[in-house]
Amino acid sequence: MTQKLVVVGNGMAPGRALERLFETAPGSYEVSVFNAEPRTNYDRILLSPVLSGEKSYEEIVIHGDAWYEQNGVTLHKGKKVVSIDRQAKTVTAEDGTVAAYDKLLIATGSVPFIIPVPGKDLAGVLTYRDLDDVNAMLIAAEKGGSAVVIGGGLLGLEAAAGLKSRGMDVTVLHLMPTLMERQLDAAAGGLLKRALEDRGIRVITKANTKEILAAHDSQGATRVRSVVLDDGTEIPADIVVMAVGIRPNAVIAKDAGLETGRGILVDERLRTSDPDILAVGECVEFNGHVYGLVAPLYEQANIVANELAGVGGAGFVDKALATKLKVTGVDLFSAGDFADGEDREEIVLRDATRGVYKRLVLKDEKVIGAVMFGDTADSGWFFQLIKDGTDISEMRDTLIFGPAYAGGDHADPTAAVAALPDDAEICGCNGVCKGRIVSAISKKGLTSVDDVRTHTKASASCGTCSGLVEKLLALSLGDAYDPAAVKPMCGCTDLAHADVRRLIVAKELKTISELMQELEWKSSGGCAKCRPALNYYMLATWPGEYVDDYQSRFINERVHANIQKDGTYSVVPRMWGGITNSRELRAIADVADKFEIPTVKCTGGQRIDLLGVQKEDLPAVWADLNAAGLVSGHAYGKALRTVKTCVGTDWCRFGTQDSTGLGVRIEKFMWGSWTPAKVKMAVSGCPRNCAEATCKDVGVICVDSGYEIHFAGAAGLDIKGTEVLCHAKTEDEALQVIVALVQLYREQGHYLERIYKWAKRVGLESIQAAVVDDLQRREALFEDFVYSQRFSQSDPWSERARGAKDAHEFAPMADLTCMEAAE
Amino acid sequence: MNMMESVWVDVGALEDIPRQGARLVKTSVGCVALFRTETDEVFALDDRCPHQGGPLSQGIVHGNAVTCPLHNWVISLETGLAQGADEGEVRTFPVRSEGGRILVEASRLGHNKDAA
Ligand code: SRM
Ligand SMILES: Cc1cc2nc3c(=O)[nH]c(=O)nc-3n(C[C@H](O)[C@H](O)[C@H](O)COP(=O)(O)OP(=O)(O)OC[C@H]3O[C@@H](n4cnc5c(N)ncnc54)[C@H](O)[C@@H]3O)c2cc1C
Ligand code: SF4
Ligand code: FES
């Protein structure tokens, strides 16, 4: 008989534990999960990139709603458990929901520590723990103003950098004389302070907060106004973020009479003092230790899953931990133990001009702690020395200079990685070992760190191990691995497409020239690669505000026709869903005669192409086509191309839905929108699929019960069948999903990246989470698309046929032929 | 019209060419492309890419270069030379901009030896 497992808390630790449990012992429990947060499981570590704008919430979701459904898990969102009845074996939530358990897993994480000063409860005083905190910060940041972050540890500094990149004036208050005093000595703390100040963040050390003062607005509500230090300094603040530390959240366990210390006491199998209750994550205390980083929690998660599954395996042991400051542009890595002690020695390297600091703590000829600032390239190697407990007496003299100087096998860092055994752990956060990464690279044909991240989760969390993953790619692929291939957009910048898209939003860059100035473009005025990309990013990010820069568009999009090898152009009018009529055909025939157009061809996209039109004739050709109601088919654009259809219920004896009608509706709704690369769609009336919908960017297969929505197919340079996105019951729903999907792609796609490549990069799950599971998000994406259509859905041909736009394109500037004839 | 050794002909206003764009001037030696850079410098080149004759005037202008619309060769507007690994050269013509007007030197456009 299946037992009932109840999980309290839905953070990273139980998320991993359940994954592991479903792998090892599928179906052994009927699981319900209570989550005080009103959402599914997400990667808390990546809240900082969400705050700074480098990632969206969808990108950090670990399990979407679909995952819970697939695994038969009942998820109680937004229900906080308030009590455990160990006799009755039930838990009760705030809203009265009661759930009975055979086994209970407590995973309540930590709570942020609030310093007990007057004003701590004012509106505008926040902590930094969950998505709600981030959202509150983002709302505050929209209005600009000042933020004060109390606490100069990793969390506080990440919050400060995020708020700064969102345009706030930020001050960090730190109680001690230097930042991160546990890891860094005074000089290194000074370097870190300078790096932050260079980014425009004010740092005040030895700052002891005395109280938080309130302001009253016109409605009489009070919220924070400023922070006062004990020396009387008053710092204005529209928000205050407290990031002074966390403590295990053991309240419900303690109330239920479980043994607790600082956290819930557990043994090496994560069992509490009640045999039917286990605990995992930041809420536990093991051997006097509590935890604040993911790596050991994932380790615990695996063990607790084994315990629940009734299989044995190793117990939990304490291990060295590594952490990295996730502030773009500030490289800080620290690992291991830094406490002072008689038996410890230090090796320190400083290079003030380069802003580099490295410190190693040694004990018994072994490295037990390492800090690097400014240059963290060797951090993986040092961390390995710590984990392995390697005897370093042989290379002690050059140790600090890293593997390049250390001689022997480790001289080449790539060789050092090659020498690691298959079960060496590469990604501590996600517990991914070398063997798994290497086999994924070869089996799935992965070529970039992003690929590895999507398929194995290695380096998906804190990112510390990205360097190791790169080395594994280099080892596996040899010369075929080109790290630069995924990196800079073009020779004009070191930034990748993703960076540029993020920074356009974060820094509110609204023109190409402003962007090149601000992001320090290396060429004057960009090149033919970056300019069209930037133009698209601007258009997609700032609809209605950004003025299209035609000189940054490829000729086809500049003159709304396709250039041919002889310098003439081809003209493809839209045929909605592939439907035409005698009037349109007659107009096309007349145009072909009148302008002596040499070739008239049916395209692969169910419409007609007029090839070999002289450039000067384009406006007149368009005027005639317009007169018959024909508009531009955008056959030349990174835009919506065709929506192919089959005859569907109108005629076909197998048709299940009006596929022609839906295709026409989609095309009429979406034409004119610009996209990262071309977008082709099709709607088939039944699974016989005569419109070839299953190799398109977006395809619909009509079935009796509605519409199967497919996407991420390809049939050009690559051939790939589509993935199923979801099933829609009505035409309206189908349209809404498709529009939301394309809008998400418009927001996230890299220029020239077709939908199937984008989907591979960001992962199908994140797309499903945004446009299928999260109805609010779907709605918002839909609205954003509709808004941007207001500015792009006008026929470019008619604007030009009337001579209203770009007349200079279609006529020479001067004609000197007669002059010379006269000579 | 009687032409001296060096004759500067007014072909239009600087403003007639979009910044980072090009316009054509038809001559009896073929189409000449006039380019205007972001810094308002003006260049005149044959409108024929040395690769397969692509119309350079339809390319994207960046810095003092243009990228051919057909296969992306990059041609220097100053020298007419193909950049990077590609080899080839486009004829350039003297041109200057004065008081917002563009003047091209017409003697080579009228009776050019190569054109015969
Ligand atoms: C006209 C047409 C061929 C025809 O005579 O049927 C055509 C013509 C061109 N295709 Fe295509 N493709 C045409 C349908 C297709 C199809 C079939 C389809 O749409 O169902 C495909 C495969 C489906 C797909 O896109 O995945 C197709 C895959 C490509 C590709 C490969 C894209 C890829 O990412 O794999 C390119 C190259 C590119 O875009 O970089 C391309 C590029 C081109 C270009 C733009 C080449 C160029 O850069 O000059 C051709 C422009 C000719 C012109 O001036 O009109 N064409 N091309 C078709 C126009 C369809 C339309 O009505 O708009
Ligand atoms: C901004 C930020 C950045 C971080 N960066 C890093 C990093 O770079 N590297 C690293 O290793 N770690 C980092 N961490 C720490 C890491 O996120 C945590 O160690 C990890 O998330 C803890 O997992 P957990 O499952 O124990 O608890 P949590 O993820 O905190 O989950 C606990 C969940 O339980 C819910 N809950 C609590 N009480 C109840 C109740 N009574 N009933 C129902 N639900 C309840 C909470 O709402 C919460 O959703 C960071 C943390 C933050 C906040
Ligand atoms: S397949 Fe497409 S790109 Fe290739 S020659 Fe034909 S039309 Fe041109
Ligand atoms: S014709 Fe110019 S690059 Fe080929």
Side-chain angles (χ1 to χ4, degrees):
Chain A
M1 201 197 71
T2 53
Q3 297 202 76
K4 287 191 172 65
L5 170 66
V6 170
V7 183
V8 184
N10 192 29
M12 300 183 69
R16 171 55 56 91
L18 289 177
E19 253 174 43
R20 179 51 81 100
L21 177 63
F22 297 146
E23 264 169 43
T24 28
S28 56
Y29 287 95
E30 184 187 322
V31 182
S32 44
V33 177
F34 285 83
N35 190 12
E37 289 185 66
R39 49 187 71 91
T40 62
N41 190 288
Y42 61 96
D43 194 337
R44 199 175 300 286
I45 293 189
L46 296 180
L47 284 175
S48 293
V50 172
L51 178 61
S52 68
E54 292 171 51
K55 278 199 159 52
S56 67
Y57 173 66
E58 287 71 36
E59 288 174 80
I60 73 165
V61 169
I62 297 176
H63 299 137
D65 286 307
W67 184 87
Y68 293 91
E69 211 169 291
Q70 276 155 24
N71 292 294
V73 176
T74 312
L75 174 61
H76 299 281
K77 287 186 200 173
K79 291 192 188 174
K80 183 173 172 180
V81 169
V82 285
S83 64
I84 302 168
D85 182 337
R86 287 165 56 199
Q87 260 67 52
K89 294 181 100 177
T90 58
V91 301
T92 307
E94 225 163 15
D95 70 340
T97 310
V98 177
Y101 66 81
D102 297 306
K103 292 276 181 199
L104 178 65
L105 177 61
I106 305 181
T108 44
S110 296
V111 282
F113 187 72
I114 309 270
I115 45 172
V117 290
K120 69 179 166 49
D121 297 321
L122 284 170
V125 180
L126 307 168
T127 55
Y128 189 18
R129 183 71 197 167
D130 60 26
L131 184 69
D132 297 320
D133 296 327
V134 171
N135 286 338
M137 286 189 234
L138 290 178
I139 288 168
E142 248 168 43
K143 297 191 217 98
S146 328
V148 169
V149 177
I150 304 180
L154 289 175
L155 225 54
L157 297 182
E158 288 183 12
L163 291 166
K164 181 71 203 171
S165 71
R166 292 288 186 169
M168 293 196 89
D169 230 13
V170 182
T171 307
V172 174
L173 303 179
H174 190 60
L175 185 61
M176 304 308 283
T178 60
L179 291 174
M180 295 185 59
E181 66 288 341
R182 273 193 331 112
Q183 290 96 335
L184 305 176
D185 64 15
L191 282 176
L192 174 59
K193 180 162 179 256
R194 204 174 69 198
L196 294 164
E197 285 166 349
D198 286 347
R199 311 171 79 75
I201 296 168
R202 194 148 75 112
V203 180
I204 305 178
T205 50
K206 290 190 267 185
N208 194 4
T209 305
K210 193 172 82 186
E211 68 175 313
I212 300 171
L213 298 182
H216 302 266
D217 67 13
S218 47
Q219 273 91 50
T222 54
R223 58 174 290 124
V224 53
R225 176 184 91 209
S226 63
V227 175
V228 182
L229 304 183
D230 60 0
D231 67 1
T233 314
E234 183 174 345
I235 305 153
D238 298 298
I239 53 169
V240 174
V241 180
M242 287 212 195
V244 290
I246 52 172
R247 58 169 161 220
N249 183 3
V251 185
I252 55 165
K254 194 167 179 189
D255 290 350
L258 295 176
E259 280 175 29
T260 56
R262 280 188 293 161
I264 306 169
L265 297 183
V266 292
D267 65 7
E268 79 289 346
R269 303 287 303 169
L270 286 310
R271 290 175 292 218
T272 67
S273 51
D274 178 327
D276 291 321
I277 304 182
L278 301 122
V280 69
E282 280 187 353
C283 59
V284 310
E285 176 178 337
F286 171 73
N287 257 350
H289 292 282
V290 295
Y291 301 88
L293 292 170
V294 159
L297 307 186
Y298 274 1
E299 186 100 32
Q300 294 177 356
N302 290 339
I303 296 165
V304 89
N306 285 345
E307 182 65 22
L308 285 167
V311 297
F316 183 67
V317 282
D318 236 7
K319 273 202 210 138
L321 295 176
T323 131
K324 189 183 157 197
L325 181 64
K326 300 186 297 299
V327 173
T328 311
V330 180
D331 290 327
L332 175 65
F333 168 90
S334 100
D337 185 354
F338 308 98
D340 285 329
E342 294 277 294
D343 53 350
R344 295 167 184 215
E345 297 167 86
E346 285 192 4
I347 304 179
V348 175
L349 171 83
R350 281 176 222 285
D351 181 345
T353 47
R354 284 201 304 137
V356 170
Y357 168 88
K358 298 182 184 180
R359 171 174 170 220
L360 301 177
V361 181
L362 306 182
K363 185 183 167 190
D364 303 332
E365 301 293 334
K366 288 181 186 132
V367 185
I368 60 163
V371 184
M372 354 241 91
F373 180 82
D375 171 9
T376 54
D378 298 331
S379 54
W381 185 70
F382 284 117
F383 188 41
Q384 198 64 41
L385 295 181
I386 297 175
K387 282 196 289 190
D388 294 350
T390 311
D391 185 320
I392 49 83
S393 43
E394 295 280 290
M395 51 182 169
R396 193 181 163 116
D397 292 346
T398 58
L399 184 64
I400 192 90
F401 301 113
Y405 288 84
D409 286 348
H410 296 307
D412 170 4
T414 309
V417 174
L420 291 176
D422 267 358
D423 62 358
E425 188 175 79
I426 300 292
C427 174
C429 293
N430 293 292
V432 189
C433 64
K434 177 181 161 184
R436 223 168 98 204
I437 298 175
V438 171
S439 87
I441 292 173
S442 67
K443 281 208 196 98
K444 301 204 166 128
L446 312 184
T447 57
S448 69
V449 177
D450 271 347
D451 286 353
V452 173
R453 210 167 273 160
T454 310
H455 290 275
T456 66
K457 292 198 181 141
S459 83
S461 294
C462 79
T464 317
C465 62
S466 308
L468 289 174
V469 172
E470 279 200 34
K471 293 202 177 74
L472 289 176
L473 279 160
L475 280 169
S476 310
L477 303 177
D479 288 345
Y481 175 58
D482 176 8
V486 291
K487 282 218 174 119
M489 241 173 107
C490 66
C492 305
T493 178
D494 295 330
L495 297 169
H497 283 270
D499 301 322
V500 172
R501 288 215 79 164
R502 164 178 53 83
L503 290 165
I504 287 174
V505 179
K507 293 182 176 259
E508 299 201 17
L509 305 174
K510 297 202 170 170
T511 65
I512 292 181
S513 54
E514 188 187 339
L515 177 144
M516 289 182 177
Q517 181 69 29
E518 184 73 20
L519 304 186
E520 299 176 359
W521 237 240
K522 294 189 276 188
S523 63
S524 77
C527 72
K529 268 201 194 132
C530 59
R531 288 235 309 277
L534 297 178
N535 192 56
Y536 167 71
Y537 294 155
M538 291 287 170
L539 272 177
T541 315
W542 312 115
E545 269 183 86
Y546 175 69
V547 184
D548 203 331
D549 175 19
Y550 269 81
Q551 297 314 128
S552 291
R553 282 187 180 261
F554 182 65
I555 182 66
N556 288 359
E557 291 187 355
R558 202 154 77 218
V559 301
H560 297 274
N562 296 59
I563 195 165
Q564 304 296 312
K565 58 189 283 191
D566 60 355
T568 62
Y569 285 81
S570 76
V571 169
V572 186
R574 228 168 246 293
M575 276 177 187
W576 310 99
I579 294 285
T580 184
N581 56 42
S582 56
R583 191 175 41 84
E584 289 181 351
L585 292 172
R586 207 166 281 123
I588 289 172
D590 288 342
V591 162
D593 285 346
K594 180 167 164 192
F595 296 94
E596 295 172 0
I597 294 170
T599 302
V600 180
K601 181 182 180 301
C602 291
T603 71
Q606 294 190 343
R607 46 198 190 166
I608 293 179
D609 196 353
L610 296 155
L611 294 127
V613 183
Q614 297 299 326
K615 193 179 183 194
E616 294 91 87
D617 289 340
L618 287 172
V621 166
W622 294 336
D624 285 6
L625 293 172
N626 276 167
L630 291 159
V631 297
S632 166
H634 293 83
Y636 47 78
K638 308 298 170 227
L640 179 73
R641 296 277 176 97
T642 54
V643 183
K644 303 212 296 186
T645 70
C646 72
V647 288
T649 40
D650 273 357
W651 296 99
C652 180
R653 64 203 164 104
F654 295 117
T656 62
Q657 307 282 352
D658 180 10
S659 52
T660 326
L662 176 57
V664 171
R665 186 172 168 200
I666 295 171
E667 192 168 353
K668 291 217 156 151
F669 198 89
M670 301 189 74
W671 72 277
S673 71
W674 299 107
T675 40
K678 52 192 169 188
V679 174
K680 298 173 175 181
M681 305 194 187
V683 185
S684 286
C686 83
R688 290 171 189 75
N689 193 15
C690 299
E692 301 167 320
T694 47
C695 62
K696 292 286 174 274
D697 296 291
V698 181
V700 180
I701 304 284
C702 300
V703 288
D704 280 327
S705 61
Y707 307 82
E708 228 176 55
I709 301 181
H710 290 240
F711 77 123
L717 298 162
D718 288 314
I719 302 267
K720 181 182 170 300
T722 45
E723 309 282 341
V724 178
L725 180 65
C726 66
H727 178 276
K729 286 201 188 64
T730 63
E731 235 193 40
D732 287 348
E733 190 187 346
L735 180 75
Q736 200 192 34
V737 169
I738 291 170
V739 167
L741 169 73
V742 171
Q743 178 62 19
L744 189 67
Y745 167 58
R746 296 180 75 234
E747 290 173 9
Q748 298 181 346
H750 296 168
Y751 193 63
L752 299 186
E753 181 180 56
R754 291 287 287 269
I755 285 190
Y756 73 101
K757 292 193 174 155
W758 160 67
K760 181 169 177 224
R761 177 169 58 82
V762 304
L764 300 177
E765 272 225 331
S766 83
I767 296 173
Q768 260 159 347
V771 308
V772 182
D773 302 340
D774 183 343
L775 294 181
Q776 260 176 319
R777 173 92 169 134
R778 182 201 294 177
E779 185 94 16
L781 286 164
F782 181 86
E783 291 306 326
D784 287 344
F785 183 85
V786 169
Y787 179 75
S788 86
Q789 282 297 74
R790 285 172 37 189
F791 310 99
S792 57
Q793 205 172 51
S794 61
D795 179 27
W797 287 358
S798 73
E799 288 167 351
R800 285 162 182 78
R802 287 183 269 117
K805 217 169 178 175
D806 293 343
H808 65 84
E809 278 289 358
F810 306 100
M813 182 163 164
D815 189 340
L816 302 183
T817 43
C818 346
M819 175 191 84
E820 280 124 22
E823 209 259 336
Chain B
M1 197 185 285
N2 218 341
M3 263 188 281
M4 306 296 292
E5 261 316 293
S6 147
V7 182
W8 293 91
V9 180
D10 184 329
V11 290
L14 181 65
E15 293 306 315
D16 292 342
I17 314 177
R19 269 212 181 107
Q20 298 185 300
R23 294 288 300 277
L24 284 181
V25 173
K26 288 195 168 171
T27 78
S28 55
V29 301
C31 284
V32 171
L34 294 187
F35 294 91
R36 176 181 175 191
T37 67
E38 202 187 11
T39 53
D40 286 348
E41 279 188 86
V42 180
F43 297 97
L45 278 79
D46 252 343
D47 193 28
R48 278 183 62 80
C49 176
H51 178 219
Q52 291 181 10
L56 295 175
S57 58
Q58 317 290 294
I60 290 182
V61 179
H62 45 95
N64 283 356
V66 61
T67 294
C68 176
L70 293 197
H71 317 98
N72 298 327
W73 279 30
V74 179
I75 310 291
S76 159
L77 296 176
E78 288 166 70
T79 63
L81 288 169
Q83 306 289 288
D86 301 319
E87 280 178 31
E89 184 174 2
V90 194
R91 219 159 23 143
T92 60
F93 299 94
V95 60
R96 60 177 209 254
S97 93
E98 237 174 57
R101 304 298 301 178
I102 298 176
L103 308 171
V104 293
E105 208 281 301
S107 57
R108 280 178 55 201
L109 299 178
H111 35 209
N112 191 294
K113 300 173 220 95
D114 307 348

